[in-house]
Amino acid sequence: MVRSPHRTALVLAVLAALFSTSAAYGAHVYTKADSAAAGEVTYTPSTANFANPERGLYHHTGDCDKNDFSPDTLADYRDNQGISQVMCVFYLAEFKSGPIDQAALTQLREQLATVRDAGLKMVLRFAYTTSTDGDDAPKDRVLAHLDQLAPILRDNSDVIAVMQGGFIGAWGEWYYTQNFGNAGSVSEADWANRKAVVDKLLTVLPKGRMVQLRTPKFKRTLYSPDPLPPTQAYDGSARARLGHHNDCFLASPDDFGTYEDPAVEYPYLKDETKYLAMGGETCGQNPPRSSCPTALEELSGFHWSYLNADYHPGVLADWKSGGCWDELTRRLGYRFTLQKGSYPDTAAPGGSLPVKVSVKNDGWASPFNPRDVELVLRNDATGKLHRLALDNDPRTWQPGTTTTLDEKVTLPADLAQGTYSLLLNLPDPRLPDRAAYAIRLANEDTWEKSSGMNDLLHKVTVN
């Protein structure tokens, strides 16, 4: 067949124009193609118990001002016991009438550094005495000591999971005290002095960290009788930073004075602890209250994040023989499990990458400290990482709920062509390059110990 030269020229001109348009707007063309091609992934949950930051069991091995943490022992906690936290009760008994000396300040810094090197975090409390005679320090001395401690707390807040109110009374638990109202007899002046200590502690501790008080009554008296409103959670105010610890969990009908009016304080605590740090220890056998059914009910209802692995041994043994130990150790704090994901198979540099992934919280609490969420693209050929921030806050992933991350991220315009693995990263914003401080998801075949990231089990081709 003979072609007209004019017709052939017209066809060539049209093809040239189309090619030119595709080249100029290639990102737009590829993005449209991307949205049409998506891969669906269903994830398998894991029943394993493993270490995750700022949750689970902790060890308390001795007074922190005298007993040095051992790097080998801390490594064993994390690697072989699934434990990521240690308790540091730092006594200031020698300094009740003067400033803390340099040796003690250096000791505290070194303890914090050892914990950081091992990839763990610390639950920190200060106290002046272990005696029920309550020989503690007066308010002005406590405030002066907090000024001395301020630089250390600021410089090391990355490895402080939470602080406890401390300072006042025997063991820093605010009951037996010579300076702040003894044995429950607390005057208005005593309450004012107690509040001055807490206010000062909140001032010297960076705003990203919480302080726990020993009983609900303390916070309800000093700040507000009402539970923290959801709209105020994580806003940096005093109420949003004051959590709770119970160091005689289940030991008596009122947990040895932890509760004054359970009918009021139980509902209060259940609401509060949705957004605040809650933890502590047992201190004596008291069946049936201290047995598995009540333990699980209250640990869940009050959103416990951490618990002493060493005390009380009788109660812990009862939980093991009673069959609730495995569930308890898995569900303290948060436990995030991937459910399903939907991702494109192809993408273009500078284009939009839509991702949709659901995460269920099977734990009893949410993270109480700030936490980032990142979608990471890793080039399979070069290993180069591209981190893309997602607009979400894991502190809002409430227990028993499923959160769907449904976002479109924009890829870098200079992203190299190739195949990329998708990963979900939940790093600690103050330790973003330390894998030990990233959150591991409770799924099979997703965790990368070396990177601290979770493989979404999907690949994207960039072309």
Side-chain angles (χ1 to χ4, degrees):
M1 185 172 88
V2 179
R3 296 183 183 274
S4 162
H6 297 290
R7 185 174 181 180
T8 301
L10 178 62
V11 170
L12 291 174
V14 171
L15 289 174
L18 286 173
F19 179 80
S20 175
T21 302
S22 297
Y25 299 100
H28 176 68
V29 172
Y30 281 125
T31 300
K32 290 177 67 176
D34 291 349
S35 63
E40 303 285 340
V41 182
T42 299
Y43 298 97
T44 303
S46 168
T47 59
N49 185 24
F50 47 82
N52 248 335
E54 303 169 342
R55 64 149 299 274
L57 299 174
Y58 73 88
H59 278 305
H60 182 192
T61 56
D63 298 345
C64 196
D65 53 302
K66 299 178 181 65
N67 298 284
D68 292 340
F69 288 120
S70 159
D72 290 341
T73 300
L74 296 184
D76 179 69
Y77 291 167
R78 165 169 279 282
D79 296 339
N80 300 317
Q81 300 182 37
I83 289 178
S84 67
Q85 297 185 115
V86 289
M87 182 82 181
C88 172
V89 181
F90 201 97
Y91 284 94
L92 303 169
E94 303 96 318
F95 313 113
K96 288 178 282 192
S97 57
I100 305 170
D101 68 19
Q102 190 56 50
L105 296 174
T106 299
Q107 167 75 357
L108 178 59
R109 282 190 182 275
E110 290 177 350
Q111 294 281 61
L112 285 155
T114 301
V115 169
R116 180 186 294 102
D117 289 344
L120 278 72
K121 291 211 176 188
M122 180 185 288
V123 179
L124 178 60
R125 183 199 305 177
F126 295 92
Y128 293 96
T129 181
T130 59
S131 172
T132 56
D133 66 8
D135 186 16
D136 50 13
K139 179 196 74 174
D140 289 345
R141 180 61 59 198
V142 175
L143 300 184
H145 284 170
L146 278 166
D147 281 330
Q148 286 188 270
L149 294 167
I152 301 176
L153 300 179
R154 180 184 63 246
D155 294 346
N156 295 277
S157 63
D158 56 345
V159 290
I160 298 173
V162 67
M163 279 196 68
Q164 296 181 343
F167 291 100
I168 299 170
W171 313 289
E173 291 193 40
W174 286 35
Y175 189 72
Y176 301 108
T177 167
Q178 294 183 11
N179 292 281
F180 294 88
N182 190 52
S185 179
V186 186
S187 67
E188 288 298 319
D190 294 327
W191 283 118
N193 289 340
R194 292 177 180 217
K195 188 173 187 298
V197 171
V198 179
D199 286 343
K200 182 72 170 182
L201 183 49
L202 290 171
T203 299
V204 302
L205 187 68
K207 280 196 172 182
R209 289 297 179 263
M210 294 186 180
V211 174
Q212 294 174 303
L213 300 180
R214 177 62 183 84
T215 76
K217 180 179 180 178
F218 296 151
K219 184 176 179 181
R220 296 182 73 239
T221 302
L222 297 178
Y223 293 91
S224 172
D226 300 319
L228 179 72
T231 54
Q232 198 173 334
Y234 318 118
D235 70 357
S237 64
R239 288 178 66 191
R241 294 178 62 202
L242 288 171
H244 304 270
H245 68 105
N246 180 349
D247 287 357
C248 265
F249 181 52
L250 307 177
S252 76
D254 64 357
D255 292 7
F256 281 4
T258 299
Y259 301 109
E260 188 174 77
D261 185 358
V264 173
E265 292 164 330
Y266 270 37
Y268 165 87
L269 203 60
K270 287 180 178 180
D271 284 341
E272 278 257 303
T273 52
K274 292 176 183 177
Y275 320 105
L276 297 165
M278 178 72 194
E281 65 182 7
T282 63
C283 74
Q285 290 173 286
N286 177 39
R289 175 163 168 72
S290 61
S291 301
C292 277
T294 304
L296 293 177
E297 178 184 0
E298 296 198 11
L299 290 167
S300 171
F302 299 140
H303 308 101
W304 280 60
S305 282
Y306 68 85
L307 184 72
N308 191 348
D310 304 308
Y311 197 77
H312 182 279
V315 178
L316 304 182
D318 288 346
W319 291 345
K320 291 173 183 177
S321 64
C324 63
W325 183 251
D326 288 346
E327 178 181 2
L328 186 154
T329 52
R330 281 197 309 270
R331 300 187 68 186
L332 281 167
Y334 58 86
R335 185 178 177 87
F336 296 142
T337 307
L338 293 169
Q339 304 293 295
K340 291 184 178 181
S342 177
Y343 319 100
D345 293 325
T346 59
S352 174
L353 180 71
V355 296
K356 187 175 183 179
V357 57
S358 55
V359 185
K360 184 179 180 183
N361 186 354
D362 290 313
W364 288 327
S366 301
F368 49 81
N369 286 329
R371 180 67 52 172
D372 290 338
V373 189
E374 298 174 340
L375 179 71
V376 180
L377 280 74
R378 183 173 61 208
N379 189 301
D380 285 356
T382 67
K384 185 176 181 179
L385 301 177
H386 299 272
R387 302 170 185 264
L388 305 170
L390 298 183
D391 185 19
N392 222 291
D393 186 346
R395 293 177 297 182
T396 67
W397 301 356
Q398 285 290 312
T401 67
T402 299
T403 300
T404 299
L405 312 179
D406 190 357
E407 299 190 35
K408 290 184 179 181
V409 297
T410 301
L411 299 181
D414 60 351
L415 189 65
Q417 294 188 17
T419 301
Y420 289 80
S421 295
L422 293 185
L423 305 105
L424 189 67
N425 190 28
L426 289 87
D428 187 320
R430 298 192 180 188
L431 293 156
D433 298 321
R434 293 287 302 276
Y437 293 106
I439 289 179
R440 174 180 174 177
L441 302 178
N443 292 93
E444 300 288 349
D445 304 319
T446 58
W447 176 242
E448 293 187 351
K449 182 178 179 180
S450 60
S451 71
M453 299 184 192
N454 301 275
D455 192 340
L456 291 174
L457 307 180
H458 186 79
K459 296 181 184 294
V460 173
T461 300
V462 174
N463 54 32

